[in-house]
């Protein structure tokens, strides 16, 4: 459905009719074919080969949450892209890290961003963090048909809960099932190794700097054992995307900050190749 920019210049009636505060509901009613889950794929045999995003990690600390991801996308045994973006702001106080089919995941994130913005404009208030997590769950569930054909999207959602005044993390499965994770979480092919690293390094009294160091350590461990996860690439100047969400809102670390943090972790690993034995710093 396109806006009428000719003739009278008026918008179609659908744009002016009061309705749901959900943009997905609006599309479902007026142009459902634009929703990713409503598209019909041609019959295929076997799994569709498409670039996949891999490891995403998150950790809470007093005052907020850190969400980070590596930069590699793979297609089978081939590196499809070395510097893919996998972590995106959802709104001012939340972010999404994507794992799974990269193209669908990015499209889903853009739709999710629009969903939250639409709700805020219609209702004049932001959704609660719990409400945002539920909306994302519904979107993932609508993609189940494509997931059954190998085009799964499994994000990690994190944000600062203004009501509870703390950072929270939510993980999902391909059916849209939602679970709240406590302290730390990981998704993607390298998640088993990343989770093991975080389990050993996590403390409830982490500072923000220690939390950002922890996620880089976890991504390094994941890249060390999982070929689909890319570690810090000093030669190409490609470093993990690291974001911090606090009561001040969403902030992505600059390339310089990510570089310095990654180089510090790499230097530490030269001294202790099997990982830090005691403290993070």
């Amino acid at each position: 459905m396109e806006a009428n920019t000719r003739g009278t210049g008026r918008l179609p009636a659908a744009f002016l009719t009061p309705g749901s505060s959900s943009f997905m509901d609006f599309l479902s009613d007026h142009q459902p074919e634009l929703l990713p889950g409503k598209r019909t794929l041609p019959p295929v045999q076997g799994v569709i080969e498409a670039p996949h995003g891999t490891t995403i990690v998150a950790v809470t600390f007093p005052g907020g949450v850190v969400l980070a991801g590596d930069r590699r996308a793979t297609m089978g045994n081939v590196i499809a892209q070395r510097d893919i973006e996998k972590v995106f702001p959802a709104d001012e106080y939340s972010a999404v890290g994507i794992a799974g089919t990269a193209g669908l995941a990015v499209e889903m994130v853009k739709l999710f961003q629009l969903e939250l913005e639409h709700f805020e404009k219609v209702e004049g208030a932001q959704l609660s963090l719990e409400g945002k997590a539920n909306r994302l769950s519904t979107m993932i569930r609508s993609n189940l048909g494509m997931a059954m054909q190998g085009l799964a999207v499994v994000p990690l959602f994190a944000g600062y809960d203004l009501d509870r005044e703390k950072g929270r993390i939510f993980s999902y499965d391909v059916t849209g099932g939602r679970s709240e994770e406590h302290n730390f979480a990981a998704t993607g092919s390298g998640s088993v190794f990343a989770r093991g690293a975080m389990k050993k390094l996590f403390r409830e009294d982490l500072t923000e700097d220690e939390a950002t160091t922890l996620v880089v350590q976890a991504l390094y461990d994941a890249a060390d054992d999982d070929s689909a996860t890319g570690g810090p690439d000093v030669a190409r100047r490609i470093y993990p995307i690291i974001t911090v969400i606090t009561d001040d809102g969403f902030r992505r670390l600059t390339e310089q900050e990510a570089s310095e943090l990654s180089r510090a972790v790499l230097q530490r690993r030269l001294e202790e190749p099997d990982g830090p034995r005691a403290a993070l710093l």
Side-chain angles (χ1 to χ4, degrees):
M1 175 179 53
E2 297 180 356
N4 180 16
T5 57
R6 297 184 178 90
T8 63
R10 294 180 179 179
L11 290 171
F15 286 89
L16 305 174
T17 304
S20 170
S21 58
S22 169
F23 186 73
M24 284 188 63
D25 289 347
F26 176 78
L27 279 183
S28 295
D29 291 339
H30 300 288
Q31 204 158 0
E33 68 276 6
L34 293 180
L35 291 171
K38 298 293 186 180
R39 295 172 187 160
T40 302
L41 294 179
V44 294
Q45 292 185 352
V47 177
I48 299 173
E49 287 290 343
H52 278 66
T54 50
T55 310
I56 303 294
V57 297
V59 61
T60 59
F61 65 93
V65 61
V66 176
L67 182 67
D70 77 306
R71 304 293 297 275
R72 178 174 292 177
T74 59
M75 190 163 58
N77 65 331
V78 176
I79 297 175
Q81 188 174 344
R82 299 180 187 275
D83 60 350
I84 190 172
E85 299 271 337
K86 298 183 187 179
V87 181
F88 304 89
D91 65 359
E92 186 180 358
Y93 291 100
S94 61
V96 185
I98 59 171
T101 307
L104 282 178
V106 171
E107 187 176 24
M108 185 177 291
V109 167
K110 290 180 179 179
L111 185 58
F112 183 51
Q113 292 169 332
L114 191 56
E115 173 84 353
L116 300 184
E117 184 179 350
H118 181 80
F119 179 92
E120 185 174 350
K121 287 181 176 179
V122 171
E123 298 294 335
Q126 284 189 346
L127 267 173
S128 66
L129 192 67
E130 195 91 23
K132 297 172 192 176
N134 290 337
R135 290 290 176 99
L136 183 56
S137 178
T138 301
M139 295 177 69
I140 297 169
R141 189 176 301 115
S142 69
N143 190 59
L144 183 58
M146 289 192 175
M148 297 297 288
Q149 298 190 54
L151 301 177
V153 176
V154 188
L156 201 60
F157 176 65
Y160 185 81
D161 193 319
L162 294 170
D163 297 323
R164 301 190 185 186
E165 299 183 341
K166 67 175 185 177
R168 300 173 68 188
I169 305 168
F170 298 89
S171 64
Y172 301 85
D173 60 36
V174 293
T175 67
R178 191 207 76 178
S179 301
E180 181 169 1
E181 304 285 349
H182 300 285
N183 301 329
F184 56 85
T187 190
S189 62
S191 60
V192 173
F193 310 109
R195 185 181 291 272
M198 291 189 289
K199 184 182 292 185
K200 292 182 178 180
L201 297 172
F202 179 80
R203 301 193 317 267
E204 291 188 355
D205 62 346
L206 290 171
T207 66
E208 180 180 319
D209 289 342
E210 289 172 335
T212 54
T213 301
L214 187 152
V215 295
V216 176
Q217 293 275 18
L219 289 172
Y220 185 102
D221 280 350
D224 200 34
D225 290 299
D226 173 43
S227 61
T229 303
D233 192 336
V234 177
R236 296 184 177 88
R237 296 182 176 85
I238 299 173
Y239 305 102
I241 296 174
I242 307 164
T243 64
V244 180
I245 312 164
T246 65
D247 58 353
D248 291 327
F250 172 93
R251 179 176 75 89
R252 173 173 167 169
L253 269 62
T254 65
E255 287 291 320
Q256 181 64 27
E257 290 174 311
S259 169
E260 292 175 357
L261 191 53
S262 298
R263 288 173 184 272
V265 169
L266 289 172
Q267 181 60 40
R268 184 67 179 271
R269 288 307 179 94
L270 288 175
E271 301 169 0
E272 300 179 80
D274 295 325
R277 298 184 180 89
L280 281 170
L281 301 174

